[in-house]
Amino acid sequence: MASTTEQPKAPKARRPRDMALSMLVLIIPVFLIVAFYRYLGHETPPTVDTTEVYGSVQRAGQFQPLKPEGLPDGWRIASATFTDGILRIGVTAPDDGALQLVESANPASVLVPAIVGKTPHDDGETTIAGTTWHRYSQGRPGERAIVQTTGNRTVIIVGQAKEAQLGELAASLTA
């Protein structure tokens, strides 16, 4: 019996064309899923309900909170927390400006360095909707802030947004 030794066949060489076709088969479903997701309108993040957080502030009785009311379309509440006597409301402006509304019974001398930054530049006062606010810049890179102290409540609006948006949020605050 004669034995024949067959040489194993070398694997077939893959061509760049085969790789491109494989990638195309994977990419097409991904694009279809993204397009369908956008078509259904799931691109806009949800707005947070602040009812429970404001209820916690009221029950704590440390200060009377101000709430943003009547903001035009495009504004949304992104987050809301109340911890250690500090109310924080994250707000997104229409052009993706990110703002934070901070309220507390802590005095401005304590709250401003903690929220705005250790060495903010004092830009003077401004009047918004009949209320005097103190303006700060250069506390944290790219951010500006306005601060109001009334009675036992300090209100700070800080973020990377246009100064007009800070004013618009401040003008919307009601007790």
Side-chain angles (χ1 to χ4, degrees):
M1 209 188 251
S3 102
T4 59
T5 57
E6 287 187 30
Q7 293 286 337
K9 293 185 180 182
K12 188 176 177 181
R14 296 197 175 139
R15 300 175 300 185
R17 178 179 171 265
D18 296 334
M19 179 76 86
L21 288 173
S22 297
M23 292 300 289
L24 188 63
V25 167
L26 294 173
I27 289 175
I28 289 175
V30 170
F31 280 126
L32 290 174
I33 289 170
V34 169
F36 185 65
Y37 187 79
R38 285 185 167 189
Y39 173 75
L40 291 178
H42 293 294
E43 196 162 291
T44 304
T47 298
V48 173
D49 182 12
T50 59
T51 306
E52 188 169 322
V53 172
Y54 277 109
S56 296
V57 174
Q58 293 285 23
R59 286 188 296 279
Q62 297 173 349
F63 59 93
Q64 176 65 34
L66 298 177
K67 301 175 187 177
E69 302 270 334
L71 286 168
D73 288 341
W75 289 80
R76 69 176 189 82
I77 306 294
S79 64
T81 61
F82 179 64
T83 54
D84 298 327
I86 300 174
L87 172 66
R88 296 173 188 263
I89 305 293
V91 181
T92 303
D95 65 353
D96 292 331
L99 298 164
Q100 186 176 55
L101 167 64
V102 179
E103 300 181 53
S104 178
N106 294 334
S109 61
V110 172
L111 212 53
V112 168
I115 304 298
V116 178
K118 301 245 184 264
T119 57
H121 183 264
D122 185 345
D123 293 337
E125 294 181 344
T126 186
T127 301
I128 301 169
T131 306
T132 302
W133 291 78
H134 213 81
R135 297 180 305 139
Y136 292 95
S137 63
Q138 302 172 6
R140 293 187 295 205
E143 292 188 348
R144 53 178 55 102
I146 55 175
V147 179
Q148 175 202 48
T149 302
T150 307
N152 69 334
R153 176 186 59 223
T154 300
V155 179
I156 299 175
I157 299 174
V158 61
Q160 293 184 342
K162 298 173 185 164
E163 194 159 336
Q165 291 173 329
L166 290 171
E168 194 170 356
L169 180 57
S172 76
L173 297 176
T174 60

